[in-house]
Amino acid sequence: MLRTLSLLVLIPILASCVLLVDDDPRRPQGTIQPSNTAPAAVAPTSGSFTYVCRGGRLAVTYTANAVTVFYDGANRNLTQTRSNPTSIYTDGTYTWEAEGRAGRLSVRGVLADTCNY
């Protein structure tokens, strides 16, 4: 009787338990990232992104070795001048620096805005 009563109490409790299993085949099993090193933050290499900046939103489109930044009411086409670790694009007046999910826009060498997506 006590055994039956215990089962009646335990069945609903056990039924609500969830077993969490990480079975993502893309993730290597058994590897540990050392705690003193962070993975490198890589800027996007292609696609369109909307960054949220201190001054508003900034649309940035990445292509092979260039970006198009919509700023001051016009598209600014900037050519890549550096790519590791920070990707830097410029046209001589406007400079876009991207690293990971962060970006900085400078105009004539003066920081105009900091952004994230």
Side-chain angles (χ1 to χ4, degrees), residues 17-102:
C17 293
V18 176
L19 178 62
L20 299 176
V21 177
D22 184 6
D23 60 354
D24 185 349
R26 297 170 294 178
R27 182 175 294 127
Q29 299 298 313
T31 58
I32 298 174
Q33 179 76 22
S35 61
N36 60 347
T37 60
V42 178
T45 55
S46 65
S48 294
F49 297 83
T50 301
Y51 285 80
V52 178
C53 309
R54 291 177 303 156
R57 295 187 184 279
L58 185 68
V60 180
T61 302
Y62 292 86
T63 57
N65 292 311
V67 295
T68 300
V69 177
F70 187 78
Y71 185 76
D72 270 349
N75 282 321
R76 311 297 175 179
N77 298 311
L78 313 177
T79 304
Q80 187 173 32
T81 59
R82 190 172 91 189
S83 64
N84 192 3
T86 303
S87 295
I88 299 178
Y89 307 85
T90 189
D91 67 355
T93 301
Y94 295 90
T95 301
W96 175 248
E97 299 177 51
E99 186 172 354
R101 298 176 64 92

